[in-house]
Amino acid sequence: MALPTAMTAAKPPLSVFVIAKNEADRIGRTIEAVRTISDDVIVIDSGSTDDTLAVAARSGARVVEHPFEGYGLQKRFGETLCRHDWMLNVDADEVVPPDLAEEIRALFAMGEPDADAYKVRIAEIFPGEGAPHRFAYALAPVRLYRRTKGTYNPSPVHDRVDLVPDARVAKLRGTIHHFSVRSLGDQMAKLNRYTDALVDDLAARGETISMVRLVLEFPANFIKAYFGRRHFLRGAYGFMTAMNFAFYRYLRVAKHIELRQRLKARKDGRL
């Protein structure tokens, strides 16, 4: 008798949800990778004009269209669509590799996992790299969690899971592969849009950034990315990505100060 494959074996009682817009070129492999661990994969699309919806449906996901409300609220909406109590969130430019999928299956093999939420390491992969660099910078947010123990924060710009005080948190050994960079130009366009949202969020919260940061933001963040995040070990793309990161951080401050000056000029009747 043939042994069950990862695709045909019993899958954990786990829902996977993905928010997306214009991700036709990469969402297929994202969905294919998680179908080995879930019978409930949902894509929440916010107005794609490419073939994202068709690719997602063809890859086996349940597709729901929903206007973008901000990162936190969009993911909260995704949570409401999940059929299972356990949920895994991945982004459309991320891939769950086989070793991490097997680790997740093992969590559920004997019933309920021991913890209520799991942090998962997410490592960026630059163009031309097939796997995370040995010294790649990585974050480890909560991505796998029980719905009764956590939910995404409603922030429009920051996507993090807020857990109840008594939630038991553990960390998985595996790493999500993050293919965030299509090209440097695409990366800058994305960061430019994101800084607009960051500035709106700062204004809504009444926060003010010092003018001194206008001068310091670029060099400080280049050093942070190139040396602190070890991009200097990753060749030309490491240098270019560090430059983009530094400019993005500078642009956030510059747009914030520009908005303040424009509002002041309007208040003084100069606009």
Side-chain angles (χ1 to χ4, degrees):
M1 183 175 67
L3 294 175
T5 64
M7 189 66 76
T8 60
K11 297 173 184 177
L14 170 67
S15 294
V16 180
F17 64 99
V18 185
I19 66 170
K21 182 179 180 181
N22 292 334
E23 297 284 356
D25 59 324
R26 51 191 182 181
I27 199 170
R29 67 178 174 180
T30 299
I31 296 168
E32 291 293 335
V34 295
R35 284 184 61 214
T36 65
I37 55 172
S38 176
D39 62 0
D40 184 36
V41 181
I42 311 106
V43 169
I44 303 94
D45 185 86
S46 56
S48 290
T49 55
D50 63 3
D51 291 331
T52 297
L53 279 73
V55 172
R58 190 165 60 244
S59 299
R62 177 159 49 102
V63 181
V64 177
E65 297 181 68
H66 185 73
F68 189 70
E69 300 180 295
Y71 290 96
L73 287 175
Q74 195 76 352
K75 292 191 175 186
R76 272 198 173 187
F77 177 74
E79 292 172 338
T80 69
L81 302 173
C82 293
R83 293 171 181 160
H84 296 296
D85 289 334
W86 277 91
M87 301 176 292
L88 172 68
N89 173 240
V90 294
D91 288 338
D93 57 359
E94 297 173 347
V95 174
V96 174
D99 65 318
L100 178 56
E102 183 56 40
E103 184 180 2
I104 291 172
R105 277 194 296 271
L107 278 180
F108 293 87
M110 303 301 292
E112 285 288 305
D114 293 332
D116 299 310
Y118 290 85
K119 295 180 178 181
V120 189
R121 187 172 182 268
I122 303 172
E124 187 174 48
I125 298 177
F126 292 161
E129 297 177 341
H133 190 277
R134 179 183 176 187
F135 298 107
Y137 173 76
L139 300 171
V142 168
R143 284 293 191 88
L144 174 64
Y145 57 103
R146 197 192 306 263
R147 95 167 51 244
T148 55
K149 296 296 184 177
T151 186
Y152 265 91
N153 184 283
S155 167
V157 292
H158 303 295
D159 54 344
R160 69 176 183 273
V161 177
D162 289 339
L163 299 171
V164 298
D166 66 344
R168 297 165 297 171
V169 183
K171 186 176 180 180
L172 298 180
R173 295 186 305 275
T175 299
I176 290 176
H177 294 184
H178 187 197
F179 298 90
S180 65
V181 183
R182 286 188 176 104
S183 68
L184 291 173
D186 179 74
Q187 184 185 50
M188 282 307 302
K190 178 180 178 181
L191 293 176
N192 184 45
R193 293 191 300 270
Y194 189 51
T195 55
D196 288 339
L198 287 170
V199 169
D200 290 343
D201 182 59
L202 286 169
R205 292 187 286 115
E207 292 197 16
T208 300
I209 297 177
S210 167
M211 286 284 289
V212 175
R213 298 267 299 271
L214 193 62
V215 177
L216 299 179
E217 202 75 4
F218 186 95
N221 280 284
F222 176 78
I223 292 170
K224 176 182 179 179
Y226 197 58
F227 295 105
R229 295 187 174 184
R230 302 180 294 275
H231 286 356
F232 72 94
L233 296 172
R234 301 174 69 183
Y237 244 106
F239 177 82
M240 293 186 291
T241 299
M243 290 288 285
N244 272 7
F245 175 77
F247 183 71
Y248 140 70
R249 297 291 295 182
Y250 156 78
L251 194 60
R252 176 184 71 110
V253 175
K255 287 183 177 181
H256 167 73
I257 291 173
E258 179 188 48
L259 176 62
R260 279 168 42 199
Q261 291 185 339
R262 190 163 60 241
L263 292 175
K264 186 177 186 302
R266 187 176 301 156
K267 181 179 179 181
D268 296 342
R270 292 181 282 115
L271 280 180

